[in-house]
Amino acid sequence: MSTFSDASGAIAPLPKARRATGFGGVLPALAFVAIFFIAPVAVLLLRSVLEPVPGLGNYAQLIGSATYLKIFANTFIVSGLVTVISLLIGFPVAWALAIMPGRLTSVIFAILLLSMWTNLLARTYAWMVLLQRTGLINKMLIGMGLIDKPLALVNNLTGVTIGMTYIMLPFIILPLYGVIRKIDPSTLQAAALCGANRWQCLTRVLLPLAMPGMAAGALMVFVMSLGYFVTPSLLGGTANMMLAELIAQFVQSLVNWGMGGAAALVLLVVTLSLYAVQLRFVGNQNPGGR
Protein backbone atom coordinates (compact mmCIF):
# COMPACT_ATOMS: atom_id res chain seq x y z
CA MET A 1 0.00 0.00 0.00
CA SER A 2 1.31 3.50 -0.84
CA THR A 3 2.13 5.63 2.23
CA PHE A 4 3.30 9.13 3.23
CA SER A 5 4.48 10.83 6.44
CA ASP A 6 2.08 13.21 8.18
CA ALA A 7 3.04 16.21 10.34
CA SER A 8 3.77 14.00 13.34
CA GLY A 9 6.12 11.83 11.30
CA ALA A 10 3.79 8.83 11.34
CA ILE A 11 3.41 6.77 8.18
CA ALA A 12 -0.10 6.96 6.77
CA PRO A 13 -1.70 5.60 3.58
CA LEU A 14 -1.86 7.95 0.61
CA PRO A 15 -5.31 9.40 -0.02
CA LYS A 16 -7.25 7.63 -2.79
CA ALA A 17 -7.49 10.79 -4.91
CA ARG A 18 -3.72 11.29 -4.78
CA ARG A 19 -3.07 7.64 -5.71
CA ALA A 20 -5.49 7.94 -8.64
CA THR A 21 -3.73 11.12 -9.85
CA GLY A 22 -0.35 9.40 -9.66
CA PHE A 23 -1.63 6.39 -11.58
CA GLY A 24 -3.16 8.62 -14.24
CA GLY A 25 0.23 10.21 -14.83
CA VAL A 26 1.79 6.95 -15.95
CA LEU A 27 -1.14 5.90 -18.16
CA PRO A 28 0.34 7.43 -21.36
CA ALA A 29 3.60 5.57 -20.78
CA LEU A 30 1.75 2.31 -20.08
CA ALA A 31 -0.36 2.77 -23.20
CA PHE A 32 2.77 3.42 -25.27
CA VAL A 33 4.41 0.22 -23.97
CA ALA A 34 1.24 -1.78 -24.55
CA ILE A 35 0.75 -0.55 -28.13
CA PHE A 36 4.33 -0.52 -29.37
CA PHE A 37 5.91 -3.40 -27.40
CA ILE A 38 3.46 -5.83 -25.84
CA ALA A 39 1.03 -5.92 -28.77
CA PRO A 40 3.71 -6.59 -31.44
CA VAL A 41 5.29 -9.27 -29.26
CA ALA A 42 1.88 -10.91 -28.76
CA VAL A 43 1.22 -10.85 -32.52
CA LEU A 44 4.67 -12.33 -33.14
CA LEU A 45 4.01 -15.09 -30.62
CA LEU A 46 0.70 -15.93 -32.29
CA ARG A 47 2.21 -16.01 -35.78
CA SER A 48 5.05 -18.25 -34.56
CA VAL A 49 2.55 -20.90 -33.42
CA LEU A 50 -0.12 -20.38 -36.13
CA GLU A 51 1.86 -20.03 -39.38
CA PRO A 52 2.13 -21.84 -41.71
CA VAL A 53 0.20 -24.46 -39.69
CA PRO A 54 -0.89 -24.30 -36.02
CA GLY A 55 1.47 -25.94 -33.56
CA LEU A 56 5.07 -25.79 -32.38
CA GLY A 57 6.53 -26.87 -35.70
CA ASN A 58 8.53 -23.68 -36.16
CA TYR A 59 10.27 -24.13 -32.80
CA ALA A 60 10.91 -27.83 -33.52
CA GLN A 61 12.43 -26.86 -36.86
CA LEU A 62 14.69 -24.30 -35.20
CA ILE A 63 15.91 -26.76 -32.59
CA GLY A 64 16.18 -29.73 -34.94
CA SER A 65 18.17 -28.10 -37.73
CA ALA A 66 21.96 -28.23 -37.56
CA THR A 67 22.13 -25.07 -39.67
CA TYR A 68 19.98 -23.08 -37.28
CA LEU A 69 21.83 -24.47 -34.25
CA LYS A 70 25.10 -23.31 -35.80
CA ILE A 71 23.62 -19.83 -36.18
CA PHE A 72 22.57 -19.86 -32.52
CA ALA A 73 26.08 -21.03 -31.57
CA ASN A 74 27.67 -18.27 -33.68
CA THR A 75 25.46 -15.71 -31.98
CA PHE A 76 26.17 -16.79 -28.40
CA ILE A 77 29.90 -17.42 -28.94
CA VAL A 78 30.50 -14.05 -30.60
CA SER A 79 28.34 -12.23 -28.03
CA GLY A 80 30.21 -13.92 -25.18
CA LEU A 81 33.62 -13.14 -26.68
CA VAL A 82 32.66 -9.52 -27.33
CA THR A 83 31.45 -9.19 -23.73
CA VAL A 84 34.59 -10.71 -22.19
CA ILE A 85 37.00 -8.73 -24.39
CA SER A 86 35.05 -5.52 -23.79
CA LEU A 87 35.30 -6.10 -20.04
CA LEU A 88 39.04 -6.80 -20.20
CA ILE A 89 39.65 -3.63 -22.22
CA GLY A 90 36.95 -1.47 -20.67
CA PHE A 91 37.82 -1.98 -16.99
CA PRO A 92 41.36 -0.52 -17.16
CA VAL A 93 40.08 2.34 -19.31
CA ALA A 94 37.28 3.12 -16.84
CA TRP A 95 39.73 2.94 -13.93
CA ALA A 96 42.15 5.26 -15.72
CA LEU A 97 39.32 7.71 -16.43
CA ALA A 98 38.35 7.70 -12.76
CA ILE A 99 41.83 8.64 -11.52
CA MET A 100 42.94 10.94 -14.38
CA PRO A 101 42.98 14.77 -14.11
CA GLY A 102 39.66 16.32 -15.11
CA ARG A 103 40.85 17.92 -18.37
CA LEU A 104 42.31 14.67 -19.74
CA THR A 105 39.18 12.80 -18.69
CA SER A 106 37.07 15.29 -20.67
CA VAL A 107 39.18 14.72 -23.79
CA ILE A 108 38.85 10.93 -23.58
CA PHE A 109 35.12 11.21 -22.92
CA ALA A 110 34.79 13.41 -26.00
CA ILE A 111 36.55 10.74 -28.06
CA LEU A 112 34.24 8.03 -26.67
CA LEU A 113 31.10 10.05 -27.36
CA LEU A 114 32.22 11.01 -30.87
CA SER A 115 32.83 7.32 -31.53
CA MET A 116 29.29 6.51 -30.38
CA TRP A 117 27.74 9.34 -32.40
CA THR A 118 29.52 8.43 -35.64
CA ASN A 119 27.30 6.58 -38.08
CA LEU A 120 27.38 2.82 -37.46
CA LEU A 121 27.70 2.01 -41.16
CA ALA A 122 30.67 4.35 -41.50
CA ARG A 123 32.43 2.71 -38.55
CA THR A 124 31.76 -0.77 -39.89
CA TYR A 125 32.98 0.09 -43.40
CA ALA A 126 36.10 1.61 -41.83
CA TRP A 127 36.81 -1.73 -40.15
CA MET A 128 36.26 -3.52 -43.49
CA VAL A 129 39.02 -1.35 -44.96
CA LEU A 130 41.35 -1.91 -41.99
CA LEU A 131 40.84 -5.67 -41.75
CA GLN A 132 41.07 -6.72 -45.38
CA ARG A 133 44.11 -8.68 -46.57
CA THR A 134 45.73 -5.53 -48.00
CA GLY A 135 44.51 -3.38 -45.09
CA LEU A 136 46.50 -1.36 -42.59
CA ILE A 137 46.46 -4.00 -39.84
CA ASN A 138 47.87 -6.79 -42.01
CA LYS A 139 50.49 -4.41 -43.43
CA MET A 140 51.55 -3.37 -39.91
CA LEU A 141 51.82 -6.98 -38.71
CA ILE A 142 53.87 -7.96 -41.77
CA GLY A 143 56.02 -4.84 -41.43
CA MET A 144 56.74 -5.68 -37.77
CA GLY A 145 57.72 -9.20 -38.77
CA LEU A 146 54.99 -10.84 -36.70
CA ILE A 147 53.41 -12.66 -39.67
CA ASP A 148 54.65 -13.79 -43.10
CA LYS A 149 51.37 -13.59 -45.02
CA PRO A 150 48.13 -11.62 -44.53
CA LEU A 151 45.65 -12.94 -41.96
CA ALA A 152 42.00 -13.58 -42.82
CA LEU A 153 40.40 -10.92 -40.63
CA VAL A 154 37.22 -10.17 -42.55
CA ASN A 155 34.28 -12.26 -43.84
CA ASN A 156 34.57 -14.45 -40.74
CA LEU A 157 33.69 -14.38 -37.04
CA THR A 158 37.09 -12.90 -36.17
CA GLY A 159 36.22 -9.74 -38.05
CA VAL A 160 32.76 -9.67 -36.48
CA THR A 161 34.25 -9.98 -32.98
CA ILE A 162 36.81 -7.22 -33.60
CA GLY A 163 34.28 -4.82 -35.12
CA MET A 164 31.59 -5.43 -32.49
CA THR A 165 34.08 -5.12 -29.61
CA TYR A 166 35.08 -1.68 -30.86
CA ILE A 167 31.45 -0.61 -31.18
CA MET A 168 30.44 -2.01 -27.77
CA LEU A 169 33.35 -0.62 -25.73
CA PRO A 170 31.66 2.71 -24.82
CA PHE A 171 28.62 0.81 -23.52
CA ILE A 172 30.75 -0.98 -20.93
CA ILE A 173 33.18 1.84 -20.12
CA LEU A 174 30.48 4.37 -19.19
CA PRO A 175 28.63 2.28 -16.53
CA LEU A 176 31.96 1.03 -15.16
CA TYR A 177 33.27 4.58 -14.87
CA GLY A 178 30.11 5.64 -13.04
CA VAL A 179 30.62 2.91 -10.43
CA ILE A 180 34.41 3.10 -10.07
CA ARG A 181 34.47 6.87 -9.52
CA LYS A 182 32.16 6.41 -6.52
CA ILE A 183 34.57 4.03 -4.81
CA ASP A 184 36.29 5.78 -1.93
CA PRO A 185 40.09 5.72 -2.58
CA SER A 186 40.66 5.38 1.16
CA THR A 187 39.20 1.88 0.88
CA LEU A 188 42.13 0.76 -1.27
CA GLN A 189 44.58 2.63 0.96
CA ALA A 190 43.17 0.89 4.02
CA ALA A 191 43.54 -2.50 2.31
CA ALA A 192 47.17 -1.69 1.46
CA LEU A 193 47.87 -0.56 5.02
CA CYS A 194 46.45 -3.85 6.26
CA GLY A 195 49.04 -5.74 4.21
CA ALA A 196 47.19 -6.43 0.94
CA ASN A 197 49.39 -6.39 -2.16
CA ARG A 198 48.24 -4.88 -5.48
CA TRP A 199 46.70 -8.14 -6.73
CA GLN A 200 44.75 -8.58 -3.49
CA CYS A 201 43.58 -4.95 -3.60
CA LEU A 202 42.35 -5.55 -7.14
CA THR A 203 40.66 -8.92 -6.64
CA ARG A 204 39.37 -8.55 -3.07
CA VAL A 205 38.51 -4.84 -2.91
CA LEU A 206 38.22 -3.10 -6.27
CA LEU A 207 36.55 -5.83 -8.35
CA PRO A 208 33.86 -6.68 -5.75
CA LEU A 209 33.01 -2.99 -5.32
CA ALA A 210 32.87 -2.51 -9.09
CA MET A 211 30.77 -5.65 -9.63
CA PRO A 212 27.42 -3.80 -10.15
CA GLY A 213 28.94 -1.74 -12.95
CA MET A 214 30.62 -4.79 -14.49
CA ALA A 215 27.38 -6.76 -14.39
CA ALA A 216 25.31 -3.92 -15.85
CA GLY A 217 27.82 -3.22 -18.61
CA ALA A 218 28.33 -6.90 -19.44
CA LEU A 219 24.59 -7.54 -19.60
CA MET A 220 24.05 -4.52 -21.85
CA VAL A 221 26.86 -5.53 -24.22
CA PHE A 222 25.83 -9.19 -24.34
CA VAL A 223 22.16 -8.45 -25.01
CA MET A 224 22.95 -5.82 -27.64
CA SER A 225 25.39 -8.23 -29.31
CA LEU A 226 22.72 -10.95 -29.49
CA GLY A 227 20.53 -8.75 -31.67
CA TYR A 228 23.19 -6.91 -33.67
CA PHE A 229 22.63 -6.90 -37.41
CA VAL A 230 24.73 -4.38 -39.39
CA THR A 231 28.25 -5.31 -38.25
CA PRO A 232 27.82 -9.12 -38.49
CA SER A 233 26.21 -8.86 -41.92
CA LEU A 234 29.04 -6.70 -43.32
CA LEU A 235 32.07 -8.22 -41.56
CA GLY A 236 30.90 -11.82 -41.20
CA GLY A 237 29.84 -12.75 -44.71
CA THR A 238 27.04 -15.12 -45.69
CA ALA A 239 28.74 -18.22 -44.26
CA ASN A 240 28.87 -16.82 -40.70
CA MET A 241 25.32 -15.73 -40.12
CA MET A 242 24.05 -14.60 -36.70
CA LEU A 243 20.55 -14.65 -35.24
CA ALA A 244 19.50 -11.12 -36.24
CA GLU A 245 20.47 -11.87 -39.85
CA LEU A 246 18.47 -15.10 -39.72
CA ILE A 247 15.37 -13.24 -38.53
CA ALA A 248 15.79 -10.63 -41.27
CA GLN A 249 16.15 -13.36 -43.88
CA PHE A 250 13.01 -15.14 -42.68
CA VAL A 251 10.94 -11.95 -42.77
CA GLN A 252 12.37 -10.06 -45.75
CA SER A 253 13.58 -12.73 -48.17
CA LEU A 254 11.52 -15.83 -47.36
CA VAL A 255 8.41 -13.97 -46.04
CA ASN A 256 8.16 -16.72 -43.39
CA TRP A 257 6.71 -14.84 -40.41
CA GLY A 258 6.20 -18.03 -38.44
CA MET A 259 9.90 -18.96 -38.37
CA GLY A 260 10.92 -15.32 -38.00
CA GLY A 261 8.60 -14.96 -35.00
CA ALA A 262 9.90 -18.16 -33.42
CA ALA A 263 13.54 -17.03 -33.77
CA ALA A 264 12.70 -13.56 -32.44
CA LEU A 265 10.91 -14.98 -29.42
CA VAL A 266 13.85 -17.26 -28.62
CA LEU A 267 16.01 -14.12 -28.61
CA LEU A 268 13.50 -12.29 -26.41
CA VAL A 269 13.27 -15.15 -23.90
CA VAL A 270 17.07 -15.35 -23.62
CA THR A 271 17.28 -11.60 -23.10
CA LEU A 272 14.61 -11.54 -20.38
CA SER A 273 16.18 -14.56 -18.67
CA LEU A 274 19.58 -12.84 -18.54
CA TYR A 275 17.97 -9.70 -17.16
CA ALA A 276 16.23 -11.72 -14.45
CA VAL A 277 19.52 -13.39 -13.51
CA GLN A 278 21.24 -9.99 -13.34
CA LEU A 279 18.50 -8.61 -11.11
CA ARG A 280 18.61 -11.70 -8.89
CA PHE A 281 22.33 -11.63 -8.19
CA VAL A 282 23.50 -8.02 -8.52
CA GLY A 283 20.38 -5.90 -8.95
CA ASN A 284 20.13 -4.94 -5.30
CA GLN A 285 23.79 -4.23 -4.67
CA ASN A 286 24.78 -0.68 -3.87
CA PRO A 287 26.99 0.67 -6.68
CA GLY A 288 30.35 1.79 -5.45
CA GLY A 289 29.96 0.04 -2.16
CA ARG A 290 28.59 3.11 -0.40
Side-chain angles (χ1 to χ4, degrees):
M1 176 182 294
S2 300
T3 60
F4 75 107
S5 300
D6 58 16
S8 63
I11 303 299
L14 283 173
K16 288 184 179 180
R18 186 171 172 184
R19 276 183 286 168
T21 303
F23 182 73
V26 300
L27 274 180
L30 292 177
F32 183 89
V33 172
I35 294 172
F36 294 103
F37 179 72
I38 296 177
V41 169
V43 171
L44 209 57
L45 173 61
L46 287 175
R47 297 188 78 160
S48 71
V49 296
L50 294 177
E51 298 179 8
V53 293
L56 299 177
N58 292 323
Y59 295 94
Q61 193 174 343
L62 277 178
I63 297 172
S65 168
T67 302
Y68 297 147
L69 289 180
K70 182 187 175 187
I71 293 173
F72 277 104
N74 287 344
T75 306
F76 285 99
I77 290 172
V78 170
S79 300
L81 282 174
V82 169
T83 304
V84 172
I85 297 172
S86 297
L87 265 178
L88 292 176
I89 299 175
F91 191 91
V93 174
W95 170 252
L97 283 171
I99 62 175
M100 277 179 180
R103 185 171 299 178
L104 190 54
T105 303
S106 301
V107 172
I108 296 178
F109 264 119
I111 295 172
L112 282 174
L113 293 177
L114 282 175
S115 168
M116 292 176 67
W117 292 339
T118 304
N119 184 276
L120 179 60
L121 270 177
R123 284 182 285 167
T124 304
Y125 279 124
W127 274 108
M128 289 181 69
V129 173
L130 291 173
L131 294 175
Q132 59 185 310
R133 298 181 72 84
T134 57
L136 180 62
I137 292 178
N138 268 318
K139 285 182 178 178
M140 285 179 58
L141 294 176
I142 292 175
M144 295 168 65
L146 298 177
I147 56 175
D148 297 326
K149 55 183 180 180
L151 298 174
L153 298 176
V154 73
N155 291 327
N156 52 37
L157 293 181
T158 302
V160 175
T161 304
I162 294 172
M164 287 181 59
T165 300
Y166 162 74
I167 291 168
M168 294 295 173
L169 267 177
F171 296 99
I172 209 162
I173 291 175
L174 295 179
L176 267 174
Y177 169 75
V179 171
I180 290 176
R181 70 187 298 269
K182 293 180 180 176
I183 297 175
D184 191 345
S186 62
T187 307
L188 296 174
Q189 294 171 357
L193 289 174
C194 291
N197 55 36
R198 290 185 177 182
W199 177 251
Q200 289 171 328
C201 287
L202 172 67
T203 56
R204 297 189 180 184
V205 180
L206 184 57
L207 288 181
L209 291 176
M211 186 56 68
M214 293 171 65
L219 178 68
M220 187 188 305
V221 168
F222 188 78
V223 169
M224 289 175 66
S225 300
L226 287 177
Y228 233 64
F229 175 75
V230 174
T231 305
S233 64
L234 292 179
L235 294 178
T238 55
N240 302 286
M241 189 178 289
M242 290 177 63
L243 189 52
E245 299 171 81
L246 178 66
I247 295 171
Q249 191 175 73
F250 277 138
V251 174
Q252 295 177 352
S253 303
L254 304 176
V255 198
N256 188 340
W257 282 90
M259 287 293 289
L265 279 170
V266 169
L267 183 60
L268 179 63
V269 169
V270 171
T271 302
L272 293 178
S273 301
L274 289 172
Y275 183 62
V277 170
Q278 195 261 354
L279 283 180
R280 172 67 178 82
F281 289 101
V282 297
N284 294 324
Q285 291 187 21
N286 186 19
R290 288 184 176 181

